[in-house]
Amino acid sequence: MSLTVRIDRLRRDLEQVSRFGATAAGGVSRTSFSAADRQVREWLAGAAAQAGLTIRTDGIGNVFLRVDGGEVGGRDGGEVGGGDGAPVWTGSHLDSVPDGGALDGALGSLAALEVARRLVEERVPVRRPVEVVVFADEEGSYHHLCGSTGLVRNYSADELSGLRGRDGDRLVDALAGMGWDPAAATRTAVRPGAVHAFVELHIEQGPILEARNAQIGVVTGIVGLGGGELVFTGRQDHAGTTPMRLRQDPLRGAAELVTRLPELAASVSQAAVATCGIVSVQPGAGNVVPETCRLQLDFRDPDRDRLLALEQAIVAAAEQAAGRHQLRVSYHRDSITDPVALDPRMQDLVESTATRLGLRTLRMPSGAGHDAQNLATLAPTGMIFVPSVAGRSHSPAELTTWDDVENGGNVLLAVVHALATE
Ligand code: HGY
Ligand code: MN
Ligand code: MN
């Protein structure tokens, strides 16, 4: 028997799911706990029922679809036998950034569903259960890697009630709006040893595989990532009557800081990056010199110490800019996610599996954050990348060829099968 994904079905699923939150630009806006997120969760429940998978949602919104050993036959054609009984997890996320693409997260989630279906319908003998995991709020509408963070540690009630979305809305209200009890979101951590291994298929989201003519990326590690907000405060004034030299315009300081980001990143390392993806001025009227300017920052480096040095350099530069423009500035760190190295044995398994399938591989680090970096603290973790056309992602331009989708799905299936039978 050749155990491969059914690409026609995986493609149909990806196309169907891309309609939830579809944008006019051809991408998707499916931010966590939105109406579109609710729709995709309903769709997933239907797909799970059709495939004979049991479904469970934890307190923070992570979804688990389970292939029980008995259903797929066990080692001896019956019960799941041997091992510690801890499941193999595979999956990704179904939320997106605003105006994002159709594949970031959806590929790894729906390929994992397809893997589960293939194991069930071929009645493949496995020694341990396989669970498809769809992580909640990977993109951090409320908190970066929100759902998978809840798997590695419990949120306290205080921390949870402080988490807010882009519009200032509270996570606990969003959870209640989904019909869930927010108190259950403080009881989501799984015990050490509860997961045998985790593997995630994902689009690369960058240009390396394409440039190197490789078909499968064997991910060696995941970048460290920080987020925080700078608030420059000046003096609100009339836009027509206040002479230019008398103004304390917070946007001037903010603009100066943003133009310095390339130099600040370069001062830390060649791999460091820093981005301001949200700027807002208050009160926000065309004829008012603003009182405050808020910058939402994202900064990354593969090394934790350099990541923290970059954060310090940004804050120091913000203070200098504030001084030059007679402003005050404050900084609030939202999150630091540590960089991780992925398990060497999992790297070898992904590489040897892809090579056996006749695919050209490349070992590479991930510049994007992934739930896998939380899971790596819980269980041996691997990631499989497939090429992104022109390296585009977090954009409606996100694209991967169907051949590459199929290749990634087949590598995922073979890796999950190997882990579930070892
Ligand atoms: O931002 C990231 O790297 C991830 O896609 N959440
Ligand atoms: Mn993303
Ligand atoms: Mn992603």
Side-chain angles (χ1 to χ4, degrees), residues 18 45 68 173 215 266 297 315 322 345 358 379-380 386:
S18 72
D68 279 316
D173 294 335
Q215 292 162 296
L297 297 170
V315 173
R345 206 180 59 87
V386 289

Side-chain angles (χ1 to χ4, degrees), residues 123-163:
R123 302 189 64 76
V124 178
V126 288
R127 291 188 74 205
R128 50 182 82 250
V130 172
E131 281 190 340
V132 175
V133 189
V134 178
F135 301 103
D137 195 22
E138 191 273 351
E139 298 290 5
S141 287
Y142 295 87
H143 182 68
H144 184 236
L145 309 181
C146 183
S148 59
T149 298
L151 293 171
V152 297
R153 66 171 176 86
N154 282 320
Y155 288 101
S156 71
D158 276 357
E159 182 182 6
L160 266 188
S161 58
L163 293 177

Side-chain angles (χ1 to χ4, degrees), residues 93 95-97 101 103-105 138-140 144 202-203 205 300 368-370 393-394 398:
H93 59 99
D95 67 314
S96 81
V97 294
L103 294 172
D104 176 0
E138 191 273 351
E139 298 290 5
H144 184 236
H202 206 282
I203 54 168
Q205 310 184 269
R300 308 184 185 206
H370 297 286
S393 187
H394 280 189
E398 196 171 85

Side-chain angles (χ1 to χ4, degrees), residues 339-351:
V340 294
L342 294 185
D343 186 79
R345 206 180 59 87
M346 295 289 283
Q347 293 181 43
D348 291 347
L349 177 61
V350 170
E351 188 175 59

